[in-house]
Structures are given as C-alpha cells and as structure tokens.
Amino acid sequence: MPFYRDYIYPRLVDMLGDPPPIREIRKQIIPLAEGNVLEIGAGSGANFLHYDPARVNKLYALEPNLGMIRLAERQAHRTKLNIEFLDLPGEHIPLGDSTVDTVVSTFTLCTIPGIVDAIGGIARVLKPDGKLIFFELGLSPDPEVQRWQKRLEPIHRWLFQGLYLTRDIPSLITQGGFQIQQMETGYLAQFPKSSSYCWWGIAILQSQKDHPS
C-alpha cells in the first residue's frame, strides 16, 4: 500500500524508532564513523546529529523511501554534514569499489529483503581498511522469546515494512566476509523482549584480520 509505505510508515518510525535506550547507543557508535561514510537505510535521519562533522568528509545517505527522505532532509539541515541522498535500496549501492571508509547500518540489515546482496555490496564499496558500524535487531538467544518472535514476525514484517525478528545478524555479517571486531548485545527493553534484542558493534573485512591498523 503506497500511502502507508510513503506517509504513515515514515512517521511511525520517526515517532517510535529513537527511544532513549536506542539513542544512547547511537551516541556511542555513530561518532566512530570517519572519512567518506555510507549509511544504508538512513531512514528519517535519526543518526545524523550523532556524526562528528570534523571526522566525516561526506555522508552518502542511502534510503529508498521518499517519505523517509523528506523527514531526513529536515534533520540534515540541523547538521554541518555534507550529505548526499541516494534514493535506492540497500541491495543496489551506486558507489564504486573501495570508495568509502565507513558503512553504517542501524536497523537496516534486519529489514532489508536481499540481505546477502546488501552485505556483499557493503564489502565491495568499503576500502580494504574500512569498517562496518552496525546496530541491529534480531534473533534472541532465549528459546521462549524465539517462539514469540516466530509468531509475531509476520505482523512486524507488515507493520514495519519488512522487519525480520528472527535473523541472526552477526552470523550473516561473518558469512558475508567480515570479522566482528567488537560487539555488545542485550535486550533494550524488558517488554516486549521479542522486538528488543539487539547487537551493536564494529566489523572489518576478513582481509584485515592479519593486518591490524
């Protein structure tokens, strides 16, 4: 339904997508981005205020939803960042090979349909010494919570335009050619646990593991 996708869904995410626990983690990890940065699934621009303009040369904000872009443009005006919006999905990154220093994904790998292609694209555009900063929702280690996640996933996929509650994001990242350098995990809310188990951290390309920077 285009009206829901383009108008209601962006405002729903803008209202619900940045509660204090999430905002605190954004404050921790987003300032680590540097150089030429690609943010996939930039959404309504919730990360923009947390980038360090002194460290970021340019921010490519990849976002296929035009309603989201309208909201993100308002956030962009509140920053000193040099932002270029790219209105394409994460499976189709319109940048050259080895052209970005940092890729940022917050609550995108848990929603994007073609996650394997998206992770492959991230690996392609990252420079050999680049890094992936991720903050994602997904499969809980608790079997009882997992059961609820499987039951509720169809509703979440409709309401949040493709949100998967049962993806093991760290495994998908490592299968895509990355090594997770540091990571934290936990429930960001006691209820509902089915939609609050997250991972956040930094991954590097496997080729870097024998050549630390």
Side-chain angles (χ1 to χ4, degrees):
M1 294 184 292
F3 182 79
Y4 178 81
R5 180 196 64 206
D6 295 339
Y7 293 95
I8 297 175
Y9 170 64
R11 296 194 177 278
L12 180 66
V13 170
D14 195 42
M15 287 189 297
L16 302 180
D18 196 34
I22 290 178
R23 195 177 313 125
E24 287 305 309
I25 294 173
R26 292 188 201 272
K27 289 179 181 178
Q28 295 172 28
I29 63 174
I30 301 303
L32 301 176
E34 58 187 339
N36 291 327
V37 178
L38 167 66
E39 182 175 341
I40 64 166
S44 60
N47 288 329
F48 291 175
L49 294 179
H50 302 301
Y51 286 102
D52 181 351
R55 301 186 68 190
V56 175
N57 301 327
K58 183 164 187 172
L59 173 61
Y60 296 99
L62 189 73
E63 175 52 58
N65 186 303
L66 296 180
M68 289 290 197
I69 290 177
R70 285 191 289 269
L71 295 174
E73 285 172 340
R74 298 178 188 176
Q75 290 287 72
H77 292 316
R78 300 172 60 194
T79 77
K80 296 180 180 179
L81 296 167
N82 176 14
I83 301 176
E84 180 179 340
F85 287 97
L86 306 171
D87 59 347
L88 289 170
E91 300 95 331
H92 304 287
I93 302 173
L95 299 175
D97 296 358
S98 303
T99 52
V100 299
D101 302 282
T102 309
V103 175
V104 173
S105 174
T106 60
F107 304 106
T108 298
L109 297 180
C110 56
T111 60
I112 194 167
I115 186 170
V116 173
D117 289 339
I119 293 174
I122 290 169
R124 178 184 66 79
V125 300
L126 266 178
K127 294 178 182 178
D129 59 348
K131 60 190 173 189
L132 166 63
I133 297 173
F134 62 92
F135 181 16
E136 300 290 345
L137 171 72
L139 186 66
S140 164
D142 182 336
E144 179 60 29
V145 176
Q146 288 183 15
R147 284 192 282 272
W148 276 104
Q149 288 180 314
K150 291 173 183 177
R151 292 173 190 145
L152 295 172
E153 187 168 70
I155 298 171
H156 281 71
R157 287 183 64 185
W158 178 83
L159 186 63
F160 294 103
Q161 296 290 282
L163 174 60
Y164 290 82
L165 296 177
T166 59
R167 280 182 173 170
D168 184 342
I169 301 296
S171 293
L172 289 164
I173 290 174
T174 55
Q175 290 166 19
F178 286 85
Q179 179 186 41
I180 293 177
Q181 195 173 49
Q182 61 187 69
M183 184 173 72
E184 295 182 64
T185 66
Y187 292 102
L188 299 188
Q190 287 305 304
F191 181 83
K193 285 188 172 182
S194 59
S195 58
S196 67
Y197 187 78
C198 294
W199 307 269
W200 58 98
I202 296 173
I204 59 173
L205 292 168
Q206 285 283 354
S207 59
Q208 288 189 54
K209 64 182 179 181
D210 297 322
H211 303 283
S213 56

